[in-house]
Amino acid sequence: MTARIIDGKAIAAEVRAEVAAGVAAFVADGSPPPGLAVVLVGDDPASHVYVANKVRQTEAVGMTSRRYMLGAETTERQLLDLVERLNADPHVHGILVQFPLPPEIDTVKVVSTISAAKDVDGFNPLNVGRTATGMKGALTPCTPLGVMRLIHSVHADIAGLGALVVGASNVVGRPMARLLLQEQCTVSVAHVLTTDLERRCRDADILVVATGVPGLIRGDWIKPGATVIDVGITRITSSSGTERLVGDVAFDEAIHVAGAITPVPGGVGPMTIACLLANTLSAAQAAKEEACAPA
Ligand code: GUN
């Protein structure tokens, strides 16, 4: 068997086209375009690249973007003051503070200060709770949202299937498990310390891996025909000095066993920003509905 490759680039382009159409309708209805503010603290080179991509893609779908580049010496109080100003700004519908933050700044305090209505990352405790309970109006973390879309490109209905999420981070693993459960999968969560990881992987109809450990999941750990989603992305340098990006799944082995699999790169990666744009549009639409609602 050779697995079907799930083309994240193409599916992300579909999501961006849907968002662009939604933005055009929003503006045609007389509203200013949705606005996203992205805040970067410090000089992490990878974060600079991510933020530049977010700004470019935001503008490409017709939304406005604002970029705040703060020095590494920025204090927690200064960052919280900026977040509070953005919370109060009616032209800003989405706020994203790029991680990682310098260690002196309390990340939980920052995400808790971002207004839940503008929390397009879905990390504010109110949105975490809303996502966990399947409440309408939740802003859901972008990568798990993107993964659900990739899974649905293979399965119209996942109710009753067995899903294993490997990785229990607040950014991917935990919200991922909650979304799968919401759609009535039978969900387990494992992580790099799980003792019988190999056996658990073999039971999974849907395997989502987000550990950051390159090649952790071997081909013969996969249930034949399973859908495999590889969230991991690590840059490795070979002995000859060439660099390449690899996932958490041994792709060359897994492709002969899985029914469908995401490549790295070009699988989950492009979905994250596409879903950020979708969340920003949702936040703008919700703000408009609230402004129009009778008192
Ligand atoms: N850094 C890496 N991934 C993310 C993400 O999804 N959101 C934010 N805010 N920072 C990140």
Side-chain angles (χ1 to χ4, degrees), residues 235-244:
R235 187 177 298 277
I236 59 165
T237 309
S238 72
S239 49
S240 62
T242 51
E243 285 195 337
R244 63 190 183 104

Side-chain angles (χ1 to χ4, degrees), residues 39 47 50 54 96-100 111 121 123 141-143 171 272:
V39 181
S47 292
Y50 293 141
K54 284 169 184 169
L96 181 141
V97 177
Q98 184 70 27
F99 299 150
V111 296
D121 255 331
F123 298 156
C142 304
T143 300
V171 174
T272 300

Side-chain angles (χ1 to χ4, degrees), residues 78-167:
Q78 287 169 324
L79 178 58
L80 294 176
D81 286 347
L82 172 60
V83 167
E84 280 163 7
R85 282 202 303 281
L86 295 172
N87 281 344
D89 186 333
H91 300 293
V92 172
H93 302 93
I95 302 170
L96 181 141
V97 177
Q98 184 70 27
F99 299 150
L101 287 169
E104 307 74 38
I105 297 183
D106 180 346
T107 301
V108 174
K109 208 184 257 184
V110 173
V111 296
S112 305
T113 302
I114 296 172
S115 153
K118 298 188 179 187
D119 167 39
V120 284
D121 255 331
F123 298 156
N124 175 293
L126 210 55
N127 284 317
V128 174
R130 286 173 177 159
T131 297
T133 53
M135 267 176 76
K136 203 168 160 277
L139 284 166
T140 298
C142 304
T143 300
L145 200 55
V147 170
M148 291 305 288
R149 177 91 178 221
L150 296 179
I151 291 172
H152 281 303
S153 74
V154 180
H155 305 269
D157 182 7
I158 57 175
L161 295 181
L164 177 68
V165 179
V166 188

